[in-house]
Amino acid sequence: MLKDEQIVWAIEQMEEDIGPVGPSLDSRTPFQYLVSVILSAQATDVSVNKVTPILFSKYPNPLDLMNADVSDVEQIIKSVGLFHNKARNIIKTARIVHEELNDVVPTTRSGIMALPGAGRKTANVVLSDVFNEPTFAVDTHVSAISKRLHFIDEKASPLQVENKIVSVMKPDELHRAHHTMIEYGRKYSMKLTPDKEVCQLIIDCDKLNEENEALI
């Protein structure tokens, strides 16, 4: 495995390659962003951004969405995938936000995770992107990068990946690191075989890992 300072170095190398990055989901309010993140589960941000302008133009706030016909919402978001469950979840979430939370999106991880369709990753994304909290979300890109570059064991859970990155980065660096790793994962495959590597950072981290293992 890479040492903590080597992980920080690797993420800095990704930042130099990718450049400044930030949230890629389109929304105008914290509630809309929450809905967008729920819709993005097992889907690309690009696919979500294609449907949310229509969704939010028709149902811009919790009251409107909670009263929506589920079949209409399904029709709007059907290209995103898992649209049956997602339609029901965002309508239920809208009702809770309106009736129980006075149209205010929760600002705690537990509060967000209590909403239908919102897991730990969703909570961390919303807390970081909307409320500037020092959280770190782990998606498939972040997990794949962390394992392929030897930040953590290949069998590590998303929570273990999250805890590792949080332990080596400064709190005010977590937001940038999250979006950098996502964009890096979109640019480079982390599942290439060693003889087909096209990313220099993979090669460098493999070498560092070998050197570290040799010292054990």
Side-chain angles (χ1 to χ4, degrees), residues 66-87:
M66 66 176 263
N67 290 319
D69 186 279
V70 66
S71 61
D72 185 49
V73 175
E74 288 179 344
Q75 183 64 28
I76 294 171
I77 69 170
K78 64 180 181 179
S79 63
V80 172
L82 303 176
F83 64 94
H84 292 298
N85 286 337
K86 289 179 180 179

Side-chain angles (χ1 to χ4, degrees), residues 1-211:
M1 297 295 103
L2 265 60
K3 300 175 182 178
D4 289 356
E5 62 270 21
Q6 293 171 334
I7 295 175
V8 173
W9 169 84
I11 294 175
E12 290 174 348
Q13 296 305 300
M14 295 181 214
E15 292 176 349
E16 288 187 12
D17 185 324
I18 297 298
V21 292
S24 54
L25 288 170
D26 297 332
S27 65
R28 294 184 178 180
T29 67
F31 174 72
Q32 290 182 3
Y33 198 82
L34 168 65
V35 170
S36 294
V37 178
I38 292 174
L39 293 178
S40 71
Q42 299 184 48
T44 66
D45 289 359
V46 171
S47 67
V48 173
N49 287 337
K50 288 181 179 179
V51 303
T52 49
I54 302 172
L55 180 69
F56 295 146
S57 66
K58 198 167 186 179
Y59 309 109
N61 56 54
L63 177 61
D64 293 323
L65 187 55
M66 66 176 263
N67 290 319
D69 186 279
V70 66
S71 61
D72 185 49
V73 175
E74 288 179 344
Q75 183 64 28
I76 294 171
I77 69 170
K78 64 180 181 179
S79 63
V80 172
L82 303 176
F83 64 94
H84 292 298
N85 286 337
K86 289 179 180 179
R88 290 193 292 270
N89 282 336
I90 62 176
I91 290 174
K92 291 177 182 177
T93 287
R95 182 172 298 280
I96 292 172
V97 171
H98 178 68
E99 294 184 344
E100 300 180 20
L101 303 174
N102 297 314
D103 292 331
V104 177
V105 173
T107 58
T108 65
R109 183 183 288 120
S110 60
I112 296 174
M113 290 178 66
L115 299 171
R120 187 179 181 90
K121 189 199 82 171
T122 294
N124 284 340
V125 170
V126 173
L127 290 173
S128 177
D129 289 349
V130 177
F131 301 115
N132 298 313
E133 293 292 328
T135 57
F136 186 84
V138 177
D139 71 348
T140 54
H141 288 303
V142 172
S143 180
I145 287 174
S146 298
K147 295 174 181 180
R148 183 63 189 86
L149 299 187
H150 311 287
F151 292 3
I152 198 165
D153 186 80
E154 291 184 359
K155 297 181 180 179
S157 67
L159 181 57
Q160 289 174 315
V161 173
E162 176 187 334
N163 289 338
K164 183 62 180 180
I165 299 299
V166 169
S167 72
V168 303
M169 302 296 291
K170 296 177 182 178
D172 61 358
E173 296 173 337
L174 292 173
H175 175 85
R176 187 174 69 252
H178 165 71
H179 289 291
T180 294
M181 292 180 73
I182 290 175
E183 289 301 322
Y184 202 82
R186 289 169 178 162
K187 183 174 181 179
Y188 298 107
S189 171
M190 291 291 118
K191 298 180 180 180
L192 297 175
T193 55
D195 62 329
K196 295 182 180 179
E197 304 294 13
V198 296
C199 172
Q200 183 61 43
L201 186 57
I202 293 178
I203 298 171
D204 291 341
C205 287
D206 279 349
K207 183 177 180 180
L208 287 172
N209 181 61
E210 291 174 1
E211 292 173 352

